[in-house]
């Protein structure tokens, strides 16, 4: 098998990708600056897989750090996950987001070029799709964003596309994530955001264990099944498996250029449907109150998953119930760990 570099590999998505890659015989090298992750995640990856990932602490924008890692490690392919990801924060601090997220992509591509590493999977997002037309998004749909975070993903995609044109030996896949939620069934790794969660499921998780008193549902006057916002929620383990499929596809085929692929379930779930599913799956009550819409939110979005199936032979397998059970299991474990500290 191959040696895969994961930038941001101790984060929520990255740690799940590390598990899937290790469990499928790949060697894994992780770089992470620990800005939004914790080094003990390395131990959890080891506990889950009984395998060791190599770890370098450092910043993806630091070209000398990257060059040092590429010189020491013989890398066959890269999964680029490192980046800031809070939409609201990106509106307040756009320069922080543009300088970090876009420069990290450029620095990584320079390091790959200098060390002749020519396979890349990029962590992109459905947030790059313009909010117009059908709720179902297909890869050729128009791109446009409503926040700097989204634009950093859109610009990074384009930089990768343009680099592929300039280097005929280089191939890449931009994976456009819809809404990743849940956690590894072991309960050892999951989403542990700093501060009060911006996203729905981590917020529900913290209400469920009593950290937060109740959920605020942002609007119930959308043109949707019950008036609340609808999203294509995908289990983070399904998402990690999509990265494994993308890496295998790039390494096992003589691919040229850059492709964009949606990673979602192909169906959307409303806020209230997710709350009810969480309550039912975990036999718990989640108190909530309907409040006004959140600025910038859209009514509904879900993935056309044809390309993921046709090109990567990948499709999601976990249900909303699985996502809710695994999310709660992880949060309960996190609470137990916190009580022991
Ligand atoms: C989902 C739904 C809210 C919180 C974001 C990023 C996107 C991607 C996924 C990285 C919406 C409602 C939420 C709450 C609520 N991340 N909601 N109360 O906004 O679809 O996408 O995460 O790529 O880039 O923008 O996810 O979880 O914030 O919201 O009612 O406390 O839940 O209105 O309908 P979103 P979300």
């Amino acid at each position: 098998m191959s040696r895969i570099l994961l930038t941001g590999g101790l984060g929520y998505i990255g740690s799940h990708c590390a598990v899937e890659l290790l469990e499928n015989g790949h060697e894994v090298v992780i770089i992470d600056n620990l800005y939004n992750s914790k080094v003990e995640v390395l131990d959890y990856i080891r506990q889950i897989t009984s395998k060791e990932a190599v770890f370098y602490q450092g910043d993806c924008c630091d070209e000398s750090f990257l060059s040092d890692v590429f010189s020491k490690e013989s890398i066959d392919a890269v999964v680029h996950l490192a980046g800031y990801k809070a939409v609201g924060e990106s509106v307040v601090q756009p320069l922080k987001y543009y300088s970090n997220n876009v420069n990290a992509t450029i620095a990584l591509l320079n390091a790959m070029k200098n060390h002749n590493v020519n396979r890349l999977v990029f962590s992109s997002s459905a947030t790059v799709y313009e909010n117009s037309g059908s709720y179902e998004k297909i890869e050729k749909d128009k791109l446009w964003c409503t926040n700097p975070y989204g634009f950093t993903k859109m610009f990074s995609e384009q930089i990768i596309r343009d680099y592929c044109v300039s280097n005929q030996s280089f191939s890449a896949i931009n994976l456009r994530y819809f809404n990743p939620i849940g956690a590894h069934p072991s309960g050892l790794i999951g989403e542990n955001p700093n501060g009060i969660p911006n996203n729905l499921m981590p917020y529900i998780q913290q209400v469920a264990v009593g950290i937060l008193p109740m959920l605020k549902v942002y609007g119930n006057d959308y043109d949707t099944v019950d008036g609340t916002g609808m999203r294509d929620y995908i289990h983070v383990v399904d998402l990690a498996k999509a990265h494994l499929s993308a890496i295998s596809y790039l390494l096992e085929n003589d691919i040229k250029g850059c492709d964009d692929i949606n990673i979602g379930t192909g169906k959307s779930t409303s806020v209230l449907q997710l709350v009810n599913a969480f309550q039912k799956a975990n036999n718990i009550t989640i108190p909530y109150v309907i409040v006004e819409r959140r600025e910038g939110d859209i009514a509904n979005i879900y993935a056309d998953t044809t390309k993921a199936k046709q090109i990567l032979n990948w499709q999601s397998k976990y249900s909303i119930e699985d996502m809710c059970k695994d999310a709660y299991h992880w949060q309960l474990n996190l609470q137990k760990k916190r009580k022991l500290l």
Side-chain angles (χ1 to χ4, degrees), residues 183-184 186-191 202 204-211 278 281-284 324-340:
H184 189 270
S186 66
L188 292 172
I189 54 175
E191 189 171 15
I204 290 175
Q205 289 167 212
Q206 293 197 12
V207 172
V209 297
I211 296 172
F278 191 95
N282 298 306
N283 191 25
I284 187 171
C324 291
K325 282 181 176 170
D326 290 336
Y328 187 48
H329 179 212
W330 150 252
Q331 193 68 45
L332 287 173
N333 273 359
L334 197 56
Q335 287 301 95
K336 284 177 200 155
K337 275 185 269 189
R338 284 173 174 159
K339 287 199 170 76
L340 291 174

Side-chain angles (χ1 to χ4, degrees), residues 245 307-315 317:
S245 301
K307 277 183 81 173
K309 180 64 183 150
Q310 280 179 349
I311 295 176
L312 302 182
N313 188 29
W314 173 92
Q315 62 187 12
K317 293 183 172 56

